[in-house]
Amino acid sequence: MAANNSVVGVESPKYVINYRLVVVQVLVSFFLFINFLLIRTFFVKDFYTTTRYILFATTLLSDSIFLIISDILLIFTFIKITMQVWLCVIIYIFLSLFTFVTPVTLTAMTLERYVAICMPLRHGELCSTRRAVHCVLIIYGLSSIPWVVFLSILFASMSHNFYYQDRVCIPEMFFFYQWQGHVRSAISQFYFLIMFIAIVFCYLTIMKVAKAASAEDKKSTWKGLRTVILHAFQLSLCLFQLWCPFIENAVLQISSILFINVRYFNYITFILAPRCISPLVYGIRDEMFFQALKYYALCGLYKKPSSNVS
């Protein structure tokens, strides 16, 4: 499974646990507050009629749910609360789903910009609100494949009694054989490759269109290209998360203390931060969304008229 949702998977000093737990709670609270503002802005200003905003809201909702569930699980792991394995399996199904929803959605957002710039006459047809809803369903379908594989592996490997044992809920408890790790690695690398190819293709094609565009269209085209670059940056952070379990497993063979430090760093850098900082940057870049965000963040005190940008 790709989700890497607990900072501590082995014993660690008590003062380290307390300090790190407090830091994580502060960051999660801050990130959830920002995501709440962005989601509220999306729903109150009729942004749900535009494809790119629908996809943007999909990442916000996915990231918020992921942060809430993973933080609760993190607290349980820190204070050593056990649960039956079947309940832990359900939790990790959701975490696996939302781990992949964000990068797949970012890829869809990049393709939307590609259609807007390279096929402007068909943008209204291909990126209608109805098609956006279908796209979200496809995103969740593609993101469900890893947890379906995870369940298949689990059912094929574990006895019935295993699901009724009480254990601390951490990812490592599900992997008893080396081939299970190989399957997880293959799935993550496949998703990484497909999304990387999509991003590079869109970038190169839009760059080609930008160079050939007339002076009148060049400004908006280059804005679209910068948006693709931003999506590539967001996607790279999310994709690094898929590689974190492999790095951590290698580090665990060297030192358990180093494993704790690396996992904590990965959790903060590649799980918490990208799930709020990058969406906030995207919201600020879009002038119409940013003006609406300022209006509601300042409780209606800011009333400057807005205009949309790519």
Side-chain angles (χ1 to χ4, degrees), residues 3 31 57 68 76 93 98 106 116 143 166 170 173 179 213 229 235 238 245 248 282-283 292:
F31 292 163
I68 292 171
F76 285 0
I93 286 175
F98 292 119
L106 289 172
S143 302
D166 289 323
I170 58 176
M173 66 182 290
W179 65 268
I229 294 174
L235 188 60
C238 293
E248 292 165 7
Y282 182 80

Side-chain angles (χ1 to χ4, degrees), residues 23 33 62 109 177 196 212 295:
V23 171
F33 174 73
S62 170
M109 293 173 73
Y177 305 103
F196 177 78
Y295 177 84

Side-chain angles (χ1 to χ4, degrees), residues 226-265:
R226 288 196 295 270
T227 301
V228 172
I229 294 174
L230 174 61
H231 290 332
F233 172 72
Q234 293 175 271
L235 188 60
S236 64
L237 291 178
C238 293
L239 293 178
F240 282 141
Q241 176 189 341
L242 303 181
W243 289 89
C244 287
F246 315 132
I247 298 173
E248 292 165 7
N249 289 338
V251 170
L252 183 58
Q253 307 303 318
I254 301 173
S255 168
S256 60
I257 299 299
L258 182 60
F259 169 80
I260 294 172
N261 294 331
V262 170
R263 171 163 280 193
Y264 180 75
F265 174 81

Side-chain angles (χ1 to χ4, degrees), residues 3 27 48 64 79 90 119 128 137 140 158 164 171 182 191 198-199 220-221 230 252 256 269 283:
L27 291 174
Y48 48 82
S64 298
I79 59 182
I90 294 175
M119 297 187 293
S128 63
L137 294 177
Y140 274 86
M158 308 304 170
Y164 295 96
H182 293 331
Y191 273 75
I199 290 289
S220 61
T221 304
L230 174 61
L252 183 58
S256 60
T269 306

Side-chain angles (χ1 to χ4, degrees), residues 3-299:
N4 174 30
N5 305 301
S6 59
V7 175
V8 177
V10 293
E11 292 293 333
S12 57
K14 185 174 181 180
Y15 74 93
V16 174
I17 290 180
N18 292 337
Y19 166 74
R20 291 180 172 178
L21 183 60
V22 170
V23 171
V24 170
Q25 297 315 301
V26 171
L27 291 174
V28 168
S29 300
F30 175 71
F31 292 163
L32 286 176
F33 174 73
I34 292 178
N35 278 9
F36 170 77
L37 284 179
L38 294 169
I39 293 171
R40 183 176 185 273
T41 302
F42 168 79
F43 281 106
V44 299
K45 282 294 289 183
D46 295 335
F47 287 110
Y48 48 82
T49 60
T50 305
T51 298
R52 61 172 170 161
Y53 293 129
I54 293 174
L55 296 176
F56 179 47
T58 300
T59 64
L60 293 175
L61 289 171
S62 170
D63 291 345
S64 298
I65 295 173
F66 181 93
L67 287 175
I68 292 171
I69 297 177
S70 64
D71 187 52
I72 293 173
L73 188 60
L74 174 64
I75 294 173
F76 285 0
T77 303
F78 270 129
I79 59 182
K80 302 282 189 280
I81 292 181
T82 61
M83 64 181 71
Q84 290 195 336
V85 173
W86 66 265
L87 179 58
C88 186
V89 169
I90 294 175
I91 292 174
Y92 272 99
I93 286 175
F94 282 100
L95 289 176
S96 178
L97 172 66
F98 292 119
T99 294
F100 285 92
V101 164
T102 293
V104 174
T105 306
L106 289 172
T107 305
M109 293 173 73
T110 301
L111 293 173
E112 186 274 333
R113 286 293 85 196
Y114 163 78
V115 173
I117 294 171
C118 300
M119 297 187 293
L121 297 180
R122 299 197 62 192
H123 182 261
E125 173 192 353
L126 296 176
C127 299
S128 63
T129 303
R130 181 180 177 183
R131 288 183 181 272
V133 175
H134 293 164
C135 181
V136 171
L137 294 177
I138 293 173
I139 287 170
Y140 274 86
L142 293 174
S143 302
S144 300
I145 294 176
W147 71 257
V148 171
V149 175
F150 162 72
L151 278 184
S152 301
I153 292 175
L154 196 63
F155 291 156
S157 306
M158 308 304 170
S159 65
H160 181 75
N161 294 332
F162 173 75
Y163 301 103
Y164 295 96
Q165 297 178 11
D166 289 323
R167 297 197 178 189
V168 176
C169 192
I170 58 176
E172 289 76 15
M173 66 182 290
F174 299 118
F175 298 94
F176 289 94
Y177 305 103
Q178 191 173 13
W179 65 268
Q180 293 174 313
H182 293 331
V183 172
R184 179 177 66 170
S185 174
I187 294 174
S188 297
Q189 290 181 34
F190 176 76
Y191 273 75
F192 183 96
L193 179 62
I194 296 299
M195 290 184 280
F196 177 78
I197 291 174
I199 290 289
V200 172
F201 169 78
C202 292
Y203 176 81
L204 294 178
T205 307
I206 294 175
M207 178 178 287
K208 183 178 179 180
V209 171
K211 290 181 178 180
S214 62
E216 184 176 320
D217 298 329
K218 195 176 289 289
K219 182 177 180 181
S220 61
T221 304
W222 280 106
K223 283 182 179 179
L225 184 62
R226 288 196 295 270
T227 301
V228 172
I229 294 174
L230 174 61
H231 290 332
F233 172 72
Q234 293 175 271
L235 188 60
S236 64
L237 291 178
C238 293
L239 293 178
F240 282 141
Q241 176 189 341
L242 303 181
W243 289 89
C244 287
F246 315 132
I247 298 173
E248 292 165 7
N249 289 338
V251 170
L252 183 58
Q253 307 303 318
I254 301 173
S255 168
S256 60
I257 299 299
L258 182 60
F259 169 80
I260 294 172
N261 294 331
V262 170
R263 171 163 280 193
Y264 180 75
F265 174 81
N266 288 341
Y267 187 82
I268 298 294
T269 306
F270 301 121
I271 296 180
L272 292 187
R275 293 181 181 275
C276 187
I277 293 177
S278 294
L280 179 61
V281 171
Y282 182 80
I284 291 175
R285 280 193 73 254
D286 188 287
E287 185 176 338
M288 186 169 72
F289 196 93
F290 179 56
Q291 301 299 342
L293 177 63
K294 284 208 307 190
Y295 177 84
Y296 292 106
L298 298 176
C299 302

